[in-house]
Amino acid sequence: MSGIHPPRQPLDVYPGTARPIGVPHPALQPAGADVARWDEDPVFKKISGFYREFFAISHLCAAINRSPKTLYKWETSNLFPLATWIYNGESRNGRRRLYTRRQIEGVVVIAYEEGVLSGTKRFISHTQFPARCFELFKQTRAVLPEPIYDWS
């Protein structure tokens, strides 16, 4: 039995898996699958006399390929900024987070640049993603979306 040894894993593999480092997890969808469709069904709210376009947390999650629970966890861990606009929902489920198109598109760009969507980085806390998102939301907090004048 001295000649039988278990095969060794290469050094570029995560411990306990056979997936090489830097390769996205196979259970995750490809990065472009839902990114193109995240803005199909916006939420319109009347602010200052005009309807304006907003997006729910589900739209943001579809754009960055994460679940709403992940975003809630990031918010409580102070890794992602709180929503700028919050309104009380009609249902008994509570409040709704609203984001602007500019905020979501900015988060998607930051996620690509920091490797959050590519699967090459393991934890967002090891990237500049949280700091850059906080800066983006700080810049866009006071900016309302463009009004929709021909509402019919």
Side-chain angles (χ1 to χ4, degrees):
M1 289 248 132
S2 64
I4 300 176
H5 297 285
R8 299 193 69 177
Q9 283 189 327
L11 296 175
D12 63 340
V13 174
Y14 288 115
T17 68
R19 181 168 49 105
I21 293 175
V23 175
H25 193 279
L28 291 176
Q29 298 174 2
D34 282 340
V35 174
R37 299 180 309 186
W38 65 265
D39 61 347
E40 282 184 351
D41 189 27
V43 176
F44 295 99
K45 291 293 171 189
K46 195 171 192 176
I47 299 177
S48 301
F50 296 103
Y51 283 97
R52 298 173 192 268
E53 180 185 52
F54 292 98
F55 297 94
I57 195 166
S58 60
H59 296 100
L60 176 60
C61 292
I64 62 173
N65 197 20
R66 296 294 188 271
S67 71
K69 287 185 178 185
T70 302
L71 242 57
Y72 298 147
K73 182 179 177 184
W74 287 356
E75 285 180 354
T76 58
S77 301
N78 207 21
L79 294 173
F80 195 79
L82 298 173
T84 306
W85 290 276
I86 297 176
Y87 78 98
N88 288 332
E90 290 85 24
S91 70
R92 62 187 175 108
N93 294 332
R95 304 179 312 158
R96 302 286 182 246
R97 294 165 168 87
L98 295 178
Y99 303 92
T100 63
R101 179 179 296 273
R102 187 173 175 188
Q103 288 174 334
I104 294 179
E105 288 174 349
V107 168
V108 169
V109 168
I110 292 169
Y112 270 118
E113 291 174 356
E114 293 295 329
V116 173
L117 292 180
S118 65
T120 57
K121 302 226 176 173
R122 190 80 172 151
F123 303 106
I124 68 161
S125 59
H126 295 159
T127 66
Q128 291 297 314
F129 179 77
R132 291 181 65 189
C133 285
F134 276 103
E135 183 62 32
L136 169 72
F137 274 58
K138 183 179 173 185
Q139 292 173 357
T140 59
R141 264 195 208 284
V143 180
L144 279 172
E146 292 296 318
I148 299 172
Y149 292 109
D150 57 346
W151 182 266
S152 54

